Structure formats: C-alpha cells, structure tokens
C-alpha cells in the first residue's frame, strides 16, 4: 500500500493537511445490465492538532462534471456545464473552500462529508482563473493572506 501524499496549507497560525482523491460510488446502471458507478472528486482537509476531517465532495450529476467525466475534465477538476470551473489541486481554491465550509458551520473534530456544490458558485467567483502558464503563476488577492503550501 502506498503512502498518502498530502499538501500543507498555512492560514495564520493554523496548519492544515489536504489531499484530493477520485472515487466511484455504486449507482443503478441506466443502460441495464450490471451495476453502474458515479464519479466523485473529494477534497479532504485535516487541521493539525484536531481530530476528524472535513471531506468536501463534488459528485457528478446533471450539468455537473467531475474529473474523468469527459469534456476534458482531469482528476481534481470540477465544473458546471453552464459555466464555472475549479481546480481542487490549487492552493487558492482549497483556501477558499476551507473558508466557505467554515463560514457554513463545518468544524473539525468530527468526520463528515459536505456537498461541495453548495460552495461552488461563491468560490468560483473569488478564485482568479488559471493562466495558460499554470496555476503556480497566480497572484493572491491583496486583501487575503496568500496560502503557503508544502508537499508531505
């Protein structure tokens, strides 16, 4: 079994570990035959010194595309057909999702899953689009502390 790779995010005096995964959950196969599956992208956040994690789940569905779901989606990418895109591998996206989850009452100390689509529009409006050169070239908003990230 491989070791889980995670990244770190520092917000003020708090340190968080985070990682992104892609998973399949069973669902009825609309074409009949054997069971089908639905794709989900999952951002997992753990705060240093706190038990439990927050799992922010983006499930594929009508008008919702998750990594591996076609239309050029990649692992960690979530989008809506009517517009909007988030790259869950970007520290700026992770920071905004963390802030949004906390603002909606999500706390560490208990394991839980949260529907990420609840936060999608607010976060997509605040995260600057990626440049062709890649997400590493993004400048943090001047009114926010820039997230620091390390690999683990």
């Amino acid at each position: 079994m491989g070791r889980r790779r995670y990244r770190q995010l520092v917000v003020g005096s708090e340190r968080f570990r985070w990682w992104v995964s892609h998973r399949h959950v069973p669902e009825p196969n609309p074409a009949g035959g054997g069971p089908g599956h639905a794709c989900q992208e999952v951002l997992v956040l753990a705060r240093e010194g706190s038990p439990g994690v927050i799992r922010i789940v983006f499930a594929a569905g009508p008008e919702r595309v998750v990594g591996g779901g076609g239309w050029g989606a990649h692992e960690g990418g979530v989008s809506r057909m009517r517009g909007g895109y988030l790259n869950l591998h970007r520290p700026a996206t992770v920071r905004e999702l963390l802030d949004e989850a906390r603002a909606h009452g999500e706390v560490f100390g208990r394991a839980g899953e949260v529907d990420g689509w609840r936060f999608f529009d607010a976060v997509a409006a605040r995260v600057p689009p990626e440049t062709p050169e890649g997400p590493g070239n993004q400048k943090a908003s001047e009114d926010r502390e820039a997230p620091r990230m390390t690999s683990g």
Side-chain angles (χ1 to χ4, degrees):
M1 189 102 175
R3 215 177 106 191
R4 176 173 305 281
R5 291 188 54 95
Y6 63 87
R7 297 170 85 177
Q8 292 185 11
L9 180 70
V10 178
V11 179
S13 62
E14 295 179 296
R15 296 176 66 88
F16 299 88
R17 289 175 297 145
W18 60 280
W19 59 93
V20 177
S21 63
H22 181 87
R23 69 183 182 190
H24 299 127
V25 295
E27 75 171 8
N29 186 342
H37 72 270
C39 294
Q40 296 181 340
E41 290 296 317
V42 182
L43 169 64
V44 182
L45 293 152
R47 185 174 61 193
E48 251 182 40
S50 295
V53 298
I54 295 175
R55 286 182 179 82
I56 300 176
V57 179
F58 291 88
E63 302 292 313
R64 297 173 174 178
V65 178
V66 300
W71 283 59
H74 62 84
E75 182 184 338
V78 297
S79 61
R80 288 202 170 144
M81 300 286 267
R82 62 180 161 83
Y85 168 80
L86 294 175
N87 180 348
L88 302 181
H89 293 289
R90 286 181 72 194
T93 301
V94 172
R95 167 67 190 270
E96 293 295 341
L97 284 166
L98 170 64
D99 289 349
E100 198 67 22
R102 290 169 111 183
H104 283 83
E106 298 302 324
V107 296
F108 293 91
R110 65 176 187 257
E113 290 193 354
V114 181
D115 179 4
W117 296 109
R118 286 179 28 199
F119 312 136
F120 183 88
D121 291 328
V123 171
R126 291 194 306 259
V127 175
E130 294 185 62
T131 63
E133 294 83 32
N137 294 331
Q138 294 301 309
K139 220 176 155 182
S141 170
E142 291 180 34
D143 62 339
R144 301 193 57 110
E145 178 181 332
R148 290 192 328 235
M149 178 210 43
T150 60
S151 292

